[in-house]
Amino acid sequence: MENLEVIELSNNGKIKAEYVKNIIHYVCRAALQEAELNGAPNNVTSGIEVVKKHLRQYSAAYTKNSGVKVVTYDDSLLKYCFNQHNEIPGYICYWLYQFYGGLFGSPMKYSERHYDVYNQLQKEYVHHRRWCKLNDKNDEIMRRKWRRKLCKLYRSGKYNTMFELHNTSFLDNIPKNESFSKIV
């Protein structure tokens, strides 16, 4: 895989739509494998976390040799697999093949289906996505409340001096005729 075109495709490309389902079920199989190795075959959400950890560590260790982008903490396998955009980055597929290729073969040609694991991981992604949306909504509501409260304070005139001093330098607020010796 040292071919420059393959490396460029792995770094910047997306997987073709015809291979996406194969790769998703490959990830499901990897999560099931890791869950079984941890002694909890019913807990595939912990298995997917282990898969992400392995991919991060393995890609960080071998990225200099291959030139392919590293899997980071910002990369979410659940998001890539279940966000309905069918856009899995090429480097995710590359590192999946490099790490799990000996066990399951190529992710592009993976033909087994794991619908029970698929459904569990999809439910986990939907739950996480709804939780994130709810938090974003609550943050927006809090920002509006604080803005209203600040506007009320400003209109009241009670705290006008504080608003005038906001975003100004401390030394600009000290009169020029006073020195630091008088203050201390």
Side-chain angles (χ1 to χ4, degrees), residues 15-29:
I15 301 300
K16 290 182 181 179
E18 59 202 47
Y19 300 121
V20 168
K21 287 291 181 190
N22 295 344
I23 294 170
I24 290 172
H25 285 283
Y26 193 88
V27 169
C28 291
R29 178 65 179 112

Side-chain angles (χ1 to χ4, degrees), residues 144-182:
R144 278 192 234 134
K145 284 182 180 180
W146 281 106
R147 181 170 163 69
R148 283 187 201 123
K149 194 176 273 191
L150 281 173
C151 288
K152 268 186 175 178
L153 287 174
Y154 185 70
R155 282 193 309 262
S156 72
K158 204 177 208 181
Y159 300 97
N160 265 354
T161 308
M162 181 189 69
F163 286 107
E164 290 170 4
L165 295 176
H166 184 66
N167 286 336
T168 60
S169 172
F170 177 71
L171 294 176
D172 291 344
N173 298 320
I174 298 174
K176 301 288 184 206
N177 56 3
E178 293 186 24
S179 66
F180 285 109
S181 61
K182 291 181 184 178

Side-chain angles (χ1 to χ4, degrees), residues 121-138:
L121 292 176
Q122 189 175 32
K123 284 179 185 176
E124 178 64 28
Y125 170 72
V126 168
H127 175 71
H128 178 73
R129 182 74 178 126
R130 286 180 180 161
W131 181 78
C132 288
K133 281 186 174 183
L134 182 64
N135 280 346
D136 291 345
K137 183 180 174 183
N138 289 340

